[in-house]
């Protein structure tokens, strides 16, 4: 629960960070992690203006990293904007383009469970245990 003044300060600080990230992303266009952070902060800032949403989607669509990663970023932006059909399509396409080890991580529902109640070494049939151990 931030005060209005504190919210304004956070928005201003995030705008300053976004300006820095925008510059660095343009200098290192193939850095997927950096692009992901830029998009995440744009989406977070999106509560304060729709231009941030448009910029996040443009950044995801101009991604120069692995196709599966770019698709995941686009899916994230669509999902956070409430466009669930577009998000689902982007996530499906990204999953299909991902290497097997990544698909196994994406599909592994065990990561959603409390590890304290899942027996050590437990694997679901077809869960790619060799990639998630």
């Amino acid at each position: 629960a931030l005060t209005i003044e504190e919210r304004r300060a956070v928005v201003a600080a995030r705008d300053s960070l976004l300006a820095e990230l925008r510059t660095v992303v343009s200098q290192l266009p193939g850095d997927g992690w950096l692009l992901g952070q830029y998009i995440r902060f744009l989406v977070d800032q999106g509560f304060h203006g729709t231009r941030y949403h448009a910029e996040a989607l443009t950044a995801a669509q101009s991604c120069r990293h692995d196709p599966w990663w770019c698709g995941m970023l686009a899916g994230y932006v669509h999902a956070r904007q409430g466009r669930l059909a577009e998000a689902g399509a982007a996530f499906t396409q990204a999953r299909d383009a991902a290497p097997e080890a990544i698909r196994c991580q994406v599909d592994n529902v065990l990561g959603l469970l409390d590890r304290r109640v899942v027996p050590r070494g437990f694997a679901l049939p077809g869960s790619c245990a060799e990639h998630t151990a």
Side-chain angles (χ1 to χ4, degrees):
L2 299 174
T3 66
I4 292 172
E5 294 81 23
E6 291 169 329
R7 272 193 205 125
R8 286 184 185 133
V10 168
V11 169
R14 200 180 290 130
D15 262 342
S16 177
L17 174 63
L18 282 167
E20 297 272 339
L21 285 171
R22 194 175 292 114
T23 298
V24 175
V25 164
S26 71
Q27 294 170 349
L28 301 168
D31 189 316
W33 181 85
L34 190 60
L35 179 62
Q37 294 305 307
Y38 176 55
I39 288 172
R40 181 178 71 89
F41 280 104
L42 283 168
V43 167
D44 288 349
Q45 193 76 326
F47 292 109
H48 306 285
T50 56
R51 80 173 175 91
Y52 298 103
H53 288 289
E55 188 174 345
L57 188 56
T58 298
Q61 291 170 337
S62 64
C63 175
R64 293 186 195 165
H65 201 268
D66 292 328
W68 69 267
W69 179 247
C70 298
M72 291 291 182
L73 292 174
Y76 170 71
V77 173
H78 285 305
R80 290 295 306 269
Q81 293 176 359
R83 294 193 302 262
L84 301 184
E86 292 91 339
F91 284 134
T92 298
Q93 187 175 20
R95 184 208 172 272
D96 291 347
E100 183 180 358
I102 299 297
R103 284 195 311 274
C104 289
Q105 289 176 3
V106 169
D107 294 347
N108 185 3
V109 297
L110 292 177
L112 301 173
L113 303 177
D114 185 339
R115 298 305 282 169
R116 295 173 294 181
V117 300
V118 177
R120 185 178 177 99
F122 178 81
L124 294 171
S127 67
C128 308
E130 67 276 9
H131 295 292
T132 58

